Amino acid sequence: AVAAVKAGMLAYANGDYKKALAELTLAAQSGNTLAQFTIGFMYANGKGVAKNDAEALRWYRMAAEKGQADAQYAVGFMYATGRGVVQPDLVEAAKWYRKAADQGHTGAQYNLALAYSEGHGVPQDDEAAANWFRRAAENQHTGAAYRLGLAYAGGKGVPHDDVEAVKWFRVAAERGNGEAQYQLGEMYADGVGVAADAAQAAKWFQLAARHGNPDAQYELGRMYAKGNGVPRDDVQSLKWYRLAAEQGHPEAAYAVGFAYANGKGVARNDAEAVKWYRKAIDRGHAGARYALQLMFENGRAVPKDDAEAAEWYQVSAERGVLKAQLQLAHAYEKGKGVPKDWAMALGWYLAAAKQGNTEAQLKVAIAYAEGKGVRSEEHTSELQSHSFISYAVFCLKKKNNAS
């Protein structure tokens, strides 16, 4: 059996899967667990045979029931993902992960920790999760080191300890974990668990950003914009903001819009500014809506339709912008982007009239004379109280007599 295993594994390494299967089957039928596990792997991945998850699970289980840790982990994974079984079974998955974890299988220890953390197949238990994350981390599992750092940072299953959090984030970060690199950058930026150090923060954000972490890309953009920990560089700032924004980061999308609106690191381009402000708005950024509103008020942005125009007019009109009050009144008068409503139109014409606009004063006079939008006697009295009404009505009558 030993010779067959050696011959089978050598053939497998050389890509001769047909010979590998033949040799390993001989060994597996003699009870060799490595051969049984490897055949299971071949069926699970379609190596030299048609991919067959049920057959893979059958071979994995043979080895797992004899205590082979890799096979126990594989059986747990198959149950967790629903491969080779009718449906996922997280209880069965956790059972097999535990068997492998107790033998020191790092992947199983990590997956068992995740199961406890989420309550998948076992009762949710932060302390048990932290314990298994620690065991996996001490066995060089990078993801477990990161999760153990999160546990210490949040006090989940272990006492809150920022120094320990930094220690484990650093372990994972130095092994290339992008999430840990970002967290370590945050700790240096905020001086939590370690002395504040902008240059160190920038270093770890840079590494995380290169791994595609959008939060790190955004933070790096901020650091270049301010010259904090790195030389001030608007071009670099925009580069990192854009990368984060393209991944859906709302603050980064706003920052890209701001850069285009103000010519920061790029030539000013109102169309691009509007595009990125809109993306930020769609992702829930309140500041972007205000920024877009200001561009609209200054004639640098065009609404995409009558409804949006009315929405923008409303915001500006409520802030006392005369032009917006007139436009909103006109929208209500004509039913453009809002329901046609003379009462609403009259209200906004009156607001503009109070600012001394003669066009609005005339509109109010017409409405008063014709009873358009006048809701009650009390409303009539309110209109009559404004001195410009009489003058406007006089001008209206004079105009009518002349015609």
Side-chain angles (χ1 to χ4, degrees), residues 191-212:
V192 175
V194 67
D197 187 327
Q200 280 293 309
K203 167 192 166 182
W204 291 109
F205 284 146
Q206 184 104 32
L207 290 169
R210 288 175 179 168
H211 276 100

Side-chain angles (χ1 to χ4, degrees), residues 128-139:
N131 175 56
W132 284 108
F133 280 136
R134 181 186 303 280
R135 291 178 67 173
E138 289 172 347
N139 280 335

Side-chain angles (χ1 to χ4, degrees), residues 340-395:
K340 192 172 183 178
D341 188 332
W342 248 108
M344 290 296 294
L346 178 57
W348 286 111
Y349 278 134
L350 181 58
K354 289 177 181 177
Q355 294 200 58
N357 183 269
T358 55
E359 176 191 349
Q361 290 171 354
L362 188 59
K363 285 283 190 179
V364 172
I366 292 172
Y368 170 68
E370 298 180 358
K372 290 183 177 179
V374 180
R375 294 185 296 270
S376 63
E377 290 185 7
E378 182 181 347
H379 194 201
T380 301
S381 298
E382 179 194 348
L383 290 171
Q384 289 174 332
S385 68
H386 297 290
S387 59
F388 62 78
I389 292 290
S390 298
Y391 178 71
V393 170
F394 169 77
C395 291

Side-chain angles (χ1 to χ4, degrees), residues 217 239 241-249 252-253 256 276 283:
Q217 290 167 343
K239 167 191 167 182
Y241 280 148
R242 188 191 299 277
L243 287 171
E246 287 171 349
Q247 295 194 68
H249 197 291
V256 174
W276 286 103
R283 295 162 189 163

Side-chain angles (χ1 to χ4, degrees), residues 12-77:
Y12 184 92
N14 290 330
D16 187 348
Y17 299 127
K18 184 177 180 180
K19 180 179 180 182
L21 184 62
E23 294 287 354
L24 290 171
T25 299
L26 287 174
Q29 289 171 343
S30 298
N32 185 281
T33 57
L34 176 59
Q36 291 167 346
F37 167 75
T38 306
I39 293 172
F41 185 85
M42 292 176 75
Y43 275 107
N45 295 278
K47 298 286 188 180
V49 292
K51 187 175 179 181
N52 186 326
D53 286 339
E55 191 67 7
L57 180 58
R58 185 175 78 85
W59 284 102
Y60 281 150
R61 187 182 284 276
M62 283 185 199
E65 287 174 348
K66 293 174 183 174
Q68 215 269 5
D70 286 332
Q72 290 170 339
Y73 170 77
V75 170
F77 180 80

Side-chain angles (χ1 to χ4, degrees), residues 55-319:
E55 191 67 7
L57 180 58
R58 185 175 78 85
W59 284 102
Y60 281 150
R61 187 182 284 276
M62 283 185 199
E65 287 174 348
K66 293 174 183 174
Q68 215 269 5
D70 286 332
Q72 290 170 339
Y73 170 77
V75 170
F77 180 80
M78 299 292 275
Y79 275 109
T81 55
R83 292 181 60 182
V85 292
V86 175
Q87 62 184 16
D89 186 335
L90 299 182
V91 174
E92 194 70 8
K95 180 185 89 173
W96 287 102
Y97 282 148
R98 182 182 296 279
K99 288 178 182 293
D102 284 338
Q103 294 194 69
H105 191 287
T106 307
Q109 291 171 339
Y110 179 69
N111 282 7
L112 185 59
L114 290 177
Y116 275 113
S117 179
E118 303 296 332
H120 289 168
V122 291
Q124 199 280 331
D125 187 333
D126 287 334
E127 187 173 346
N131 175 56
W132 284 108
F133 280 136
R134 181 186 303 280
R135 291 178 67 173
E138 289 172 347
N139 280 335
Q140 312 304 308
H141 193 289
T142 301
Y146 166 64
R147 291 298 296 260
L148 187 57
L150 287 180
Y152 276 111
K156 292 189 68 175
V158 290
H160 178 205
D161 189 331
D162 289 327
V163 174
E164 277 293 297
V166 168
K167 167 188 165 182
W168 288 107
F169 284 147
R170 190 184 303 281
V171 168
E174 289 176 346
R175 293 178 190 157
N177 183 286
E179 293 296 323
Q181 289 166 345
Y182 167 69
Q183 291 293 341
L184 190 54
E186 285 281 280
M187 304 293 263
Y188 272 112
D190 298 335
V192 175
V194 67
D197 187 327
Q200 280 293 309
K203 167 192 166 182
W204 291 109
F205 284 146
Q206 184 104 32
L207 290 169
R210 288 175 179 168
H211 276 100
N213 184 296
D215 291 321
Q217 290 167 343
Y218 171 69
E219 292 298 337
L220 194 56
R222 290 182 64 208
M223 297 189 87
Y224 274 112
K226 297 178 179 179
N228 184 26
V230 290
R232 190 176 183 282
D233 188 330
D234 288 335
V235 174
Q236 280 292 311
S237 175
L238 178 58
K239 167 191 167 182
W240 291 109
Y241 280 148
R242 188 191 299 277
L243 287 171
E246 287 171 349
Q247 295 194 68
H249 197 291
E251 287 81 7
Y254 169 79
V256 174
F258 183 87
Y260 275 110
N262 296 277
K264 295 282 188 179
V266 68
R268 194 179 109 170
N269 186 321
D270 288 345
E272 281 293 302
V274 168
K275 180 182 87 173
W276 286 103
Y277 280 149
R278 285 191 190 281
K279 287 179 183 289
I281 291 168
D282 290 343
R283 295 162 189 163
H285 194 287
R289 182 173 294 278
Y290 178 70
L292 193 55
Q293 186 75 33
L294 290 179
M295 290 189 71
F296 164 68
E297 290 175 7
N298 292 321
R300 294 175 59 190
V302 179
K304 60 186 176 184
D305 54 38
D306 288 340
E308 184 181 68
E311 180 184 339
W312 287 3
Y313 292 143
Q314 181 81 36
V315 174
S316 296
E318 289 173 355
R319 288 179 28 228

